[in-house]
Every structure is written in C-alpha cells, then in structure tokens.
Amino acid sequence: MSELIIDDRTIALDKDGYLADLNDWSTSVADALAAREDLSLSREHWEILHLLRDFYAEFQLSPATRPLIKYVALKLGPEKGNSLHLNRLFKGTPAKLAAKLAGLPKPTNCL
C-alpha cells in the first residue's frame, strides 16, 4: 500500500493508487493524485470529476467507460459525452483514471 502526504495528513492508497478510504477525498487529494499521473486538472477535468462523484452517490459504483460516456452525454451534452473528449482528458483510460482522481473505487470491470 502506498500513501500521499497532504497538509501533514497521510492518505492511504491501495496497490493501484486508489484511495483506501473514500472519505479522504478532497480537491487537494485529487490534485495530488493527478500530479502522480503527470496531469494538471483543468476546469474540464473538474467538471467530469464532480459528475463522477454524483454518479457514485446515486448508484454506489464507479462506471465503466461506456456508462461513463452515456452519463456525461446525458448531463453535459454529446460534445463532452464522447470517447474522444474523455480519452483526451484522461490519457486514454477515462473510467479508471477519472474514478481514481474523483476518489472513487476502481470500476469493477476495468483491468
């Protein structure tokens, strides 16, 4: 298990770099997780991360790529809810990386 140190707090991560405790998530944690992925979060990233957290609150699961794309299209429109946009933002692995940065569990059907 690895960890993040943020503001003198130790945040536990699982072997894949996801939060061990979902309650540890904050915008600072998301920024630190993104930095570990060589990613700087933009307004577009935050829009998807907050949407993912809403999805998780509603359904208690992290969506795989297809449901993620459909949900984003439903909530933000087809110009943002498509694989090209999400792949560009999240380095070709939108379901896994976006879930990690949003402080959610790894989607169950992602390797």
Side-chain angles (χ1 to χ4, degrees):
M1 216 191 274
S2 61
E3 57 189 32
L4 288 174
I5 308 291
I6 299 172
D7 300 327
D8 298 327
R9 269 182 62 215
T10 300
I11 310 291
L13 304 175
D14 71 10
K15 65 180 179 59
D16 296 318
Y18 290 79
L19 294 181
D21 181 350
L22 304 185
N23 294 314
D24 283 336
W25 189 84
S26 68
T27 56
S28 300
V29 169
D31 283 328
L33 289 169
R36 289 170 59 117
E37 301 287 339
D38 294 321
L39 190 63
S40 178
L41 297 178
S42 69
R43 183 187 54 76
E44 288 181 305
H45 290 100
W46 284 112
E47 190 173 49
I48 302 302
L49 297 182
H50 289 297
L51 197 64
L52 254 177
R53 292 186 60 80
D54 292 344
F55 183 98
Y56 188 83
E58 185 174 345
F59 301 107
Q60 285 74 53
L61 61 92
S62 299
T65 301
R66 282 188 181 170
L68 172 62
I69 291 167
K70 286 184 178 184
Y71 192 74
V72 172
L74 177 70
K75 298 292 186 177
L76 302 177
E79 66 282 351
K80 294 182 180 180
N82 65 71
S83 60
L84 289 175
H85 179 71
L86 294 174
N87 281 326
R88 179 181 58 80
L89 288 176
F90 297 102
K91 298 182 169 189
T93 58
K96 287 170 55 176
L97 184 53
K100 182 185 289 186
L101 300 180
L104 304 178
K106 183 178 182 179
T108 54
N109 58 350
C110 289
L111 301 175

